[in-house]
Amino acid sequence: MATKIPVTVITGFLGSGKTSLIRHLLQNNQGRRIAVLVNEFGELGIDGELLKSCEICPEDSNNGSNIFELTNGCLCCTVQEEFYPTMQELIKRRDSIDCILIETSGLALPKPLVKAFRWHEIRAAATVDAVITVVDCAAVAAGTFASDPEAIAAQRQADDSLEHETPLQELFADQLTCADLVVLNKTDLVDIDTKLQVEELIKQQLPRVVKIVESDRGTLDADILLGFQAAVEDNLDSRPSHHDTEEDHEHDEEITSTHLVLDRSFDPEKLQEQLQKLAQQQEIYRIKGFVAVPNKPMRLVMQGVGTRFDKFYDRPWQVEEAKQTSLVFIGRDLNPLEIKSQLVALTF
């Protein structure tokens, strides 16, 4: 019997650094032939394009790119419609693939996806080597995606019937409880005491002992991320979820995405300043995309979590592609018309 293809699921909240982690792994693959399945929230595939721009991204000479993009909804909701046929295609390529990485949407629950590996058609050919959860240390420290344990304790003492979890907090907890490894990212944005507090908060969410490692922009060795041999699909009982008793779970329907494609360039600093204002005016969790910069032959990648942004040039514009600015916004009750009007009005 042929060896099963090991699959590593990379999960984590919006903007935690999943794509950076995978990008570094692809560029430092130590000879491994890696296929990547990217699931994005929204119709514009920014993360998949970022991974395809890696100079060392693997490509199957017979079948083309080893980067697969699913942009029709969170994998945890579209396992049968989206994930299953893609996995079938990857299984056909098993002789040319050493391992598979799955980057989930920041709004996806990992456990429903792992359950799909119990299906006979997949189980015979692939196994979940590990679930890796990437955590934005600075965001958690700010209380954006995790609740204050002391405040929760006080609320419970006051009234045991109170609802203590918001959907986003439940999502954060479910991503942690399914983890075989937690990658604590963006620790450079907090002091040592704050980092230790975040680590303690994470440990409180974990149902068992799980290693927590720090990462500087995803620069972790492949040997740390791969080779767990955890067979996660056989050990789901030790990974409790808020949605274990539900046949189907529901996402917060008020969390949506909108994208904007403009045939113009922007001054990066002015654009960032305007995007930060938008993030304060509307409940925007994540902004990411590519920016055309005047008199620059390189494409600028701009990413924001709340009002915190980073940017870098990833590659030259291709001769055949339009130098457009493409941005994706993810948040609650977004106003796409207002977002567009403010950016269109922005001067160079």
Side-chain angles (χ1 to χ4, degrees):
M1 179 179 176
T3 303
K4 293 183 180 182
I5 305 171
V7 178
T8 302
V9 177
I10 312 289
T11 188
F13 206 79
L14 300 161
S16 58
K18 300 185 298 295
T19 304
S20 296
L21 186 76
I22 296 174
R23 187 179 170 89
H24 180 267
L25 183 54
L26 291 176
Q27 293 174 328
N28 299 272
N29 57 41
Q30 300 176 3
R32 295 178 178 87
R33 298 168 299 175
I34 303 174
V36 183
L37 195 159
V38 184
N39 178 216
E40 299 202 52
F41 189 82
E43 299 175 1
L44 201 61
I46 299 298
D47 293 344
E49 175 59 28
L50 263 177
L51 294 175
K52 288 176 182 177
S53 72
C54 295
E55 293 182 1
I56 315 177
C57 273
E59 184 162 309
D60 187 318
S61 58
N62 295 319
N63 299 296
S65 176
N66 268 5
I67 309 292
F68 292 76
E69 296 178 80
L70 302 180
T71 58
N72 294 328
C74 284
L75 269 179
C76 58
C77 297
T78 61
V79 167
Q80 187 167 353
E81 298 86 352
E82 299 293 327
F83 170 71
Y84 179 59
T86 304
M87 276 302 298
Q88 285 184 310
E89 177 64 28
L90 287 170
I91 288 170
K92 291 177 183 177
R93 301 189 189 185
R94 61 188 304 170
D95 291 339
S96 61
I97 293 175
D98 295 317
C99 60
I100 299 171
L101 304 179
I102 300 179
E103 178 187 351
T104 70
S105 155
L107 296 175
L109 297 169
K111 198 167 180 178
L113 171 61
V114 175
K115 285 182 178 179
F117 285 83
R118 292 176 169 177
W119 296 353
H120 175 72
E121 297 86 347
I122 297 178
R123 187 186 188 94
T127 180
V128 180
D129 183 72
V131 174
I132 295 174
T133 300
V134 185
V135 174
D136 182 334
C137 185
V140 174
T144 310
F145 308 129
S147 54
D148 181 346
E150 293 182 0
I152 287 180
Q155 288 175 338
R156 284 179 174 156
Q157 289 177 357
D159 186 348
D160 289 338
S161 67
L162 285 177
E163 177 64 36
H164 305 310
E165 300 280 350
T166 68
L168 292 183
Q169 290 165 346
E170 288 184 2
L171 172 60
F172 178 78
D174 281 10
Q175 290 175 346
L176 285 176
T177 56
C178 202
D180 295 281
L181 178 73
V182 174
V183 176
L184 193 58
N185 205 8
K186 305 183 184 179
T187 55
D188 58 310
L189 300 177
V190 300
D191 58 37
I192 184 65
D193 289 339
T194 302
K195 186 192 74 170
L196 292 174
Q197 290 173 8
V198 171
E199 288 181 354
E200 185 59 33
L201 176 61
I202 290 172
K203 290 176 182 177
Q204 291 176 14
Q205 299 274 12
L206 296 171
R208 62 198 183 287
V209 177
V210 173
K211 183 72 173 177
I212 301 174
V213 297
E214 290 185 41
S215 168
D216 180 11
R217 296 172 179 82
T219 54
L220 283 176
D221 191 275
D223 291 334
I224 296 176
L225 302 171
L226 306 176
F228 280 72
Q229 299 181 344
V232 180
E233 66 274 13
D234 295 331
N235 297 285
L236 284 177
D237 290 343
S238 65
R239 303 161 194 262
S241 165
H242 287 85
H243 305 277
D244 283 339
T245 59
E246 302 174 11
E247 291 186 8
D248 297 295
H249 70 277
E250 296 181 359
H251 287 294
D252 187 337
E253 294 183 355
E254 294 177 348
I255 299 177
T256 59
S257 71
T258 186
H259 68 269
L260 191 62
V261 179
L262 298 173
D263 291 315
R264 57 161 293 185
S265 57
F266 288 89
D267 175 272
E269 301 307 321
K270 289 184 178 179
L271 177 61
Q272 178 176 319
E273 183 179 346
Q274 190 62 47
L275 292 175
Q276 288 171 325
K277 290 179 181 178
L278 276 167
Q280 293 174 328
Q281 295 166 5
Q282 300 190 37
E283 194 169 346
I284 298 173
Y285 301 134
R286 183 83 162 103
I287 301 172
K288 57 184 177 180
F290 305 113
V291 180
V293 178
N295 304 315
K296 284 284 187 180
M298 300 284 286
R299 184 177 69 175
L300 181 70
V301 178
M302 183 170 286
Q303 305 179 95
V305 179
T307 58
R308 174 161 47 85
F309 280 75
D310 62 77
K311 49 189 180 290
F312 62 91
Y313 291 96
D314 74 322
R315 65 164 174 81
W317 290 101
Q318 304 299 320
V319 175
E320 69 279 2
E321 71 179 325
K323 293 182 179 180
Q324 297 175 317
T325 296
S326 307
L327 296 169
V328 173
F329 300 80
I330 301 172
R332 186 190 301 273
D333 293 331
L334 297 180
N335 185 336
L337 292 178
E338 180 62 24
I339 291 172
K340 182 176 181 179
S341 66
Q342 290 197 29
L343 295 186
V344 169
L346 193 63
T347 59
F348 286 94

